[in-house]
Amino acid sequence: AKAPEGEVLFTVAGESTSLEEFNYVYNKSNGRQDDAYTEKSLKEYLDLYVNFRLKIKEAMELRMDTSMAFNEELAQYRKQAAQPYLTSKETLEKLMKEAYDRMQEEVRASHILIRVGPDALPEDTAKAYTSIQNLRNQIIGGADFGKIARSNSQDPSAAENSGDLGYFSAFAMVYPFESRAYNTPVGEVSDFFRTDFGYHFMKVQDRRPTKGTVRVAHIMLRASAGMDPEDSLAAKQKIEEIYKELKNGAEWSKMVNEYSEDGYSKVKDGELDPLNVNSRIVPEFKERALNMNEPGELTEPFQTAYGWHIIKFISRDLQKSYEEMEPQLKKWVERDARAKVQKTTLVKRLKQENNFKEYPKNLDWFASQVDSTIFDGNFAVAEGNKKYQKSLFTLNKDGFSSMDFLEFLKMRRPKSDISPEFFVRLHYPQFVEESIIKYEEDQLEKKYYDFKMLMNEYHDGILMFNLMEERIWNESTRDTAGLEAFFNDNQDDFQWGERAEAWVFDCKSESILKIVDEELERGLFSVSRPIPGTYYYEFRSKELSENDLNIFLARLKVLVNNPDLRAKVTVNSYPKESYGKYSKIGEERISYIKEKAGELGLPEGSVEYVNAGTKDADEDPAKARKISVVFYSVNPKDLQASLNKAAPLSLNTRTGKFEKGDNEFVDQVEWKAGTYEVSNGDRVVKVKIFDTEDPRPKKLDEVKGEAISAYQDHLEKEWIKELKAKYPVEINEEVFKTLIKANP
């Protein structure tokens, strides 16, 4: 290995580590510490770094850096690390701020499109250009925009929407289209412009302040355009009846569960994913949702292509600050067509920095030589023809020839019927651009010391991980006998103090505490998921419909993989069906559902079955014949999740066995079985103590993770001794002293 430049601080088996390298890594890790550059701090870090270099020396001797997996992983890291150096930071910041400013407004625009691809032939491009120019002239001359769009636009949606795209904001459209929309005054027609889709022009209809992001829920009844008229009318009448019941106080979640036919949202009380002006959802639904304001507000029933809806408004989030959105804006800009703007700016700068010079005559000659074999990568260069070695362009003193360009073209195929010469000229700008960026990427270690050190860090870090995994981590888990012997020899290090088994409920208010008390008394905790379900029987039938039975059993099946969950199944009957030979209809319904549930493999005792008889006799007869399921949990964490969904931070729970010092609230109460209250500022805490344990030695299976970690430390210390014996270490004390800048 090549010795680092500069003064040598230490060597491992004759291989040097420079003062500069050590100072760089030390400063990165310890430079801001209060004791930075004291002799004690420097010596401690030097010991760690010498051990690190010993391990890397071993990894290199084992040739771990030659594996394909290692080099592929390092290449991936390098590609990621290079990105910040291959972007224009000023342009990125400008684009982010521009996008954020645009997100404060929503634009409504109509457009007309004439399609032409990026690689279209010149004559096709000219034809599209003439068409879009003529259409715009007609609009400027007074023609109706919608009529022209319907009959001429090559956007498939224009036939239905007359070119009207509705409202949108930043990142909804391709960047050139978005920019034209935001830079065209309301009521005016833009000039025509080109995107990857073709030529466009637009008319801006309106601008409004952003509506932000809204959370809404809905009830939907399916009613498609082609359904039977009677079924369509029935759906309309049903949704109107549902709306009427909601206005009269019916519970929203109950109505969703009973009636909504949107399976995706039904299990979430009808709630949809948060939506904003750019959401891909039918416009009539989106606009109604965005124009709602009051939590709990309902729309009257309305129809879309999917069916009939009632929307319930939940909340609105207005635009966050630029600082809050900055990380997300960066991701959006880098994934968006705006990235092309960044790349163009970067390439322009790199051309200047690297003395870019082109030789057009050499490109003309090359373009004149190629034939159709260029399309499949088989173009043959005549042996000895040195003209192909001539540079098409240079960066500093490095030339990029026709031969380099040929290699680039082998990975490209024409997307349309074009001439070989046009194929060459079409791809030349991309070849130049990618070559310039690759040239810069290859120079990064030479140009930027930070990048060089970062790549050294990645290189050594991957080696270190692979070596430690093979030599220490895997060994510590494989060697069960060695682990057990180490644990027994060091039993004094693995001791439990006195412990209390407890639940801790940190409540935001007295009202939350009251809920906790009620739940503790019941012994089961409320959950927000799965939501309750209710299903109805036909008169005197012990069986549910096949559809309802399948849904009911699917709900119960969640108990199989959720050991903390419990279910309470309640059956109700109607008086007029519960006499004579049907007097035990409730019991029969319970028996039937038990039989079916028994086929699911549910944990024993996870379901409680209750025959409630006819206690709901005053209900609508059709609704009195029912079976319902409600879910609970034996884990207080589920109560926390349920309460915090409605109001974050309402409840914080801790459960387990606590030693003194593990939990401040457990420490404050008497360590005897019982429940206690302690204060926590303006909050109140309930502590339930179940039992206490006397101090005792820990068992290996109780603290296996802790024991393995200690065993790994032991193995590593022994291994370091072996490495120091194998690879002699020499430290230059005089050079080391030059680092000391602070008194201890």
Side-chain angles (χ1 to χ4, degrees):
K2 182 181 177 181
E5 296 178 359
E7 292 184 280
V8 174
L9 178 61
F10 67 88
T11 61
V12 174
E15 292 186 5
S16 304
T17 294
S18 69
L19 178 68
E20 181 183 35
E21 176 186 331
F22 177 80
N23 187 48
Y24 181 90
V25 294
Y26 174 84
N27 188 60
K28 186 175 180 179
S29 300
N30 296 65
R32 296 186 179 182
Q33 301 297 322
D34 292 340
D35 64 345
Y37 290 99
T38 61
E39 184 175 7
K40 180 175 181 294
S41 172
L42 286 164
K43 278 189 173 180
E44 288 175 352
Y45 196 79
L46 180 60
D47 287 341
L48 292 173
Y49 199 64
V50 166
N51 291 344
F52 175 75
R53 297 314 314 175
L54 281 165
K55 294 172 187 174
I56 298 304
K57 173 65 176 176
E58 176 75 351
M60 297 294 286
E61 289 294 315
L62 294 172
R63 297 179 60 81
M64 296 181 74
D65 63 326
T66 62
S67 72
M68 182 181 295
F70 170 83
N71 284 291
E72 286 178 352
E73 186 175 0
L74 184 62
Q76 288 177 354
Y77 278 119
R78 191 183 190 284
K79 193 169 188 65
Q80 294 171 6
Q83 288 310 304
Y85 295 86
L86 301 175
T87 58
S88 170
K89 294 180 181 179
E90 297 79 8
T91 304
L92 175 62
E93 180 71 17
K94 182 180 178 181
L95 289 168
M96 288 165 59
K97 288 183 176 178
E98 177 191 69
Y100 181 78
D101 290 342
R102 288 179 178 178
M103 290 170 72
Q104 311 313 305
E105 283 192 309
E106 298 167 0
V107 179
R108 181 178 180 183
S110 299
H111 86 130
I112 290 173
L113 165 69
I114 297 298
R115 290 189 175 275
V116 59
D119 56 352
L121 293 168
E123 53 265 33
D124 293 332
T125 300
K127 183 178 177 181
Y129 182 93
T130 301
S131 295
I132 200 76
Q133 186 178 45
N134 289 339
L135 292 173
R136 183 179 182 276
N137 288 339
Q138 291 180 50
I139 299 298
I140 297 299
D144 180 81
F145 195 102
K147 184 176 180 180
I148 295 294
R150 287 192 299 273
S151 57
N152 294 278
S153 180
Q154 293 174 357
D155 180 343
S157 68
E160 293 184 3
N161 63 20
S162 300
D164 188 352
L165 299 171
Y167 287 95
F168 56 87
S169 186
F171 300 108
M173 307 292 179
V174 292
Y175 182 58
F177 192 100
E178 173 197 308
S179 292
R180 198 60 59 110
Y182 275 92
N183 292 323
T184 301
V186 174
E188 292 193 14
V189 176
S190 75
D191 198 357
F192 51 87
F193 58 98
R194 190 171 183 177
T195 71
D196 287 346
F197 297 101
Y199 283 109
H200 314 248
F201 65 88
M202 70 175 66
K203 182 175 182 179
V204 174
Q205 310 284 4
D206 189 26
R207 294 171 80 129
R208 69 186 185 193
T210 180
K211 296 284 187 177
T213 300
V214 298
R215 291 174 54 223
V216 298
H218 80 143
I219 294 172
M220 185 187 82
L221 299 183
R222 297 193 181 280
S224 59
M227 73 187 301
D228 186 277
E230 289 187 9
D231 292 337
S232 180
L233 178 61
K236 180 177 184 296
Q237 292 172 339
K238 188 175 181 181
I239 198 78
E240 288 174 345
E241 186 62 29
I242 293 170
Y243 178 71
K244 185 177 179 182
E245 289 197 34
L246 287 168
K247 296 298 285 186
N248 288 333
E251 185 181 349
W252 173 264
S253 61
K254 181 178 178 182
M255 301 299 281
V256 170
N257 183 56
E258 291 184 17
Y259 299 115
S260 184
E261 295 174 354
D262 177 8
Y264 174 77
S265 66
K266 185 172 184 175
V267 295
K268 301 184 292 182
D269 283 351
E271 186 171 344
L272 298 168
D273 293 336
L275 63 89
N276 58 35
V277 73
N278 291 343
S279 296
R280 302 298 183 186
I281 194 169
V282 287
E284 55 267 42
F285 188 101
K286 180 167 60 178
E287 280 303 302
R288 285 177 185 262
L290 288 173
N291 284 300
M292 299 174 77
N293 292 298
E294 295 298 324
E297 176 187 350
L298 302 175
T299 64
E300 292 185 0
F302 66 96
Q303 191 172 19
T304 70
Y306 296 98
W308 287 93
H309 310 260
I310 298 170
I311 301 177
K312 176 187 174 183
F313 185 76
I314 299 173
S315 65
R316 183 187 305 276
D317 292 326
L318 294 176
Q319 198 70 58
K320 297 177 182 178
S321 68
Y322 178 80
E323 289 70 26
E324 290 174 302
M325 290 199 66
E326 192 169 3
Q328 185 63 62
L329 284 167
K330 184 174 183 292
K331 290 179 182 177
W332 285 341
V333 166
E334 290 175 341
R335 289 201 302 257
D336 188 60
R338 290 166 170 81
K340 292 182 180 179
V341 178
Q342 283 196 83
K343 185 178 284 189
T344 300
T345 305
L346 173 69
V347 168
K348 183 179 179 181
R349 173 173 65 82
L350 294 178
K351 282 181 175 181
Q352 293 175 339
E353 289 181 4
N354 295 294
N355 304 306
F356 174 78
K357 185 176 181 181
E358 282 186 292
Y359 302 92
K361 289 183 179 180
N362 292 342
L363 177 63
D364 292 342
W365 177 85
F366 174 65
S368 70
Q369 299 299 304
V370 296
D371 56 35
S372 61
T373 59
I374 194 78
F375 296 145
D376 54 16
N378 291 320
F379 179 73
V381 174
E383 189 175 349
N385 192 334
K386 295 183 178 180
K387 286 189 176 182
Y388 287 98
Q389 301 294 339
K390 289 188 174 182
S391 296
L392 302 178
F393 62 91
T394 56
L395 294 171
N396 295 322
K397 295 181 180 180
D398 296 314
F400 295 80
S401 68
S402 297
M403 291 299 294
D404 298 319
F405 192 16
L406 272 173
E407 287 300 312
F408 176 84
L409 290 173
K410 284 181 180 180
M411 305 301 294
R412 274 75 188 165
R413 296 291 179 268
K415 296 180 181 178
S416 58
D417 187 15
I418 58 178
S419 69
E421 181 178 355
F422 184 72
F423 178 71
V424 166
R425 296 189 183 280
L426 179 69
H427 288 288
Y428 176 71
Q430 186 182 2
F431 171 61
V432 172
E433 185 178 83
E434 292 190 15
S435 298
I436 290 172
I437 293 174
K438 180 67 168 59
Y439 181 84
E440 175 71 4
E441 188 175 350
D442 291 342
Q443 310 299 314
L444 292 177
E445 280 89 349
K446 298 176 183 177
K447 290 182 68 172
Y448 303 103
Y449 184 72
D450 279 352
F451 184 81
K452 173 186 173 182
M453 294 304 293
L454 180 61
M455 288 312 302
N456 287 344
E457 190 176 321
Y458 282 144
H459 175 278
D460 294 348
I462 298 170
L463 285 180
M464 171 69 84
F465 180 89
N466 293 341
L467 183 63
M468 289 292 290
E469 183 177 49
E470 182 179 308
R471 183 65 176 77
I472 302 296
W473 301 330
N474 290 345
E475 178 66 20
S476 67
T477 53
R478 282 194 301 259
D479 184 13
T480 54
L483 172 64
E484 188 170 354
F486 172 80
F487 182 78
N488 292 332
D489 290 344
N490 295 273
Q491 184 68 73
D492 290 346
D493 296 333
F494 301 96
Q495 298 285 324
W496 289 121
E498 183 184 8
R499 292 188 299 165
E501 185 178 358
W503 287 350
V504 180
F505 301 86
D506 184 1
C507 308
K508 185 177 182 179
S509 63
E510 291 289 344
S511 60
I512 298 296
L513 177 64
K514 183 179 179 182
I515 294 173
V516 168
D517 285 338
E518 291 171 353
E519 303 268 304
L520 278 172
E521 185 175 349
R522 183 174 59 190
L524 292 171
F525 301 103
S526 299
V527 294
S528 56
R529 294 284 184 273
I531 60 174
T534 302
Y535 309 89
Y536 299 97
Y537 292 98
E538 293 296 327
F539 186 70
R540 288 182 171 172
S541 173
K542 69 176 183 180
E543 300 178 9
L544 292 168
S545 69
E546 182 179 358
N547 183 60
D548 283 354
L549 177 64
N550 289 336
I551 296 174
F552 181 84
L553 294 176
R555 282 180 177 275
L556 281 186
K557 199 167 183 178
V558 300
L559 300 174
V560 173
N561 296 315
N562 293 273
D564 291 336
L565 281 182
R566 302 291 184 270
K568 181 177 180 181
V569 174
T570 305
V571 166
N572 293 88
S573 307
Y574 190 64
K576 290 184 180 181
E577 65 171 348
S578 306
Y579 60 87
K581 68 176 183 178
Y582 294 102
S583 60
K584 295 187 177 181
I585 187 66
E587 296 174 18
E588 291 175 3
R589 287 168 175 166
I590 289 284
S591 296
Y592 178 79
I593 207 69
K594 271 187 176 181
E595 178 187 345
K596 294 297 182 182
E599 300 170 4
L600 300 176
L602 304 179
E604 187 176 350
S606 60
V607 184
E608 177 188 3
Y609 296 93
V610 177
N611 180 11
T614 60
K615 73 173 191 174
D616 296 326
D618 293 336
E619 283 193 9
D620 176 349
K623 293 183 178 180
R625 306 186 301 267
K626 65 184 179 183
I627 182 170
S628 59
V629 58
V630 180
F631 294 91
Y632 300 97
S633 174
V634 295
N635 189 338
K637 291 288 184 184
D638 288 316
L639 175 62
Q640 172 182 307
S642 178
L643 293 175
N644 288 351
K645 182 183 178 185
L649 306 181
S650 291
L651 179 65
N652 183 34
T653 62
R654 288 282 309 278
T655 64
K657 293 182 179 180
F658 300 90
E659 290 185 288
K660 290 290 185 182
D662 287 347
N663 185 280
E664 59 176 313
F665 306 118
V666 176
D667 288 351
Q668 292 180 48
V669 304
E670 188 176 3
W671 280 29
K672 290 183 179 180
T675 55
Y676 307 88
E677 285 186 21
V678 296
S679 62
N680 178 24
D682 57 352
R683 298 171 70 92
V684 60
V685 180
K686 173 77 71 173
V687 179
K688 182 176 177 65
I689 301 287
F690 291 93
D691 199 3
T692 59
E693 281 187 5
D694 294 331
R696 65 170 176 83
K698 296 176 180 179
K699 298 175 183 177
L700 180 56
D701 60 358
E702 290 178 323
V703 289
K704 196 163 187 178
E706 179 185 346
I708 288 174
S709 178
Y711 186 45
Q712 288 173 349
D713 290 342
H714 167 73
L715 291 175
E716 187 174 357
K717 288 175 183 176
E718 295 300 311
W719 180 43
I720 290 293
K721 291 178 184 177
E722 296 174 15
L723 292 177
K724 285 184 176 179
K726 186 176 181 180
Y727 305 116
V729 176
E730 295 184 12
I731 297 173
N732 189 327
E733 296 293 344
E734 292 302 315
V735 172
F736 174 76
K737 289 177 183 177
T738 64
L739 286 168
I740 302 171
K741 299 178 183 177
N743 293 321

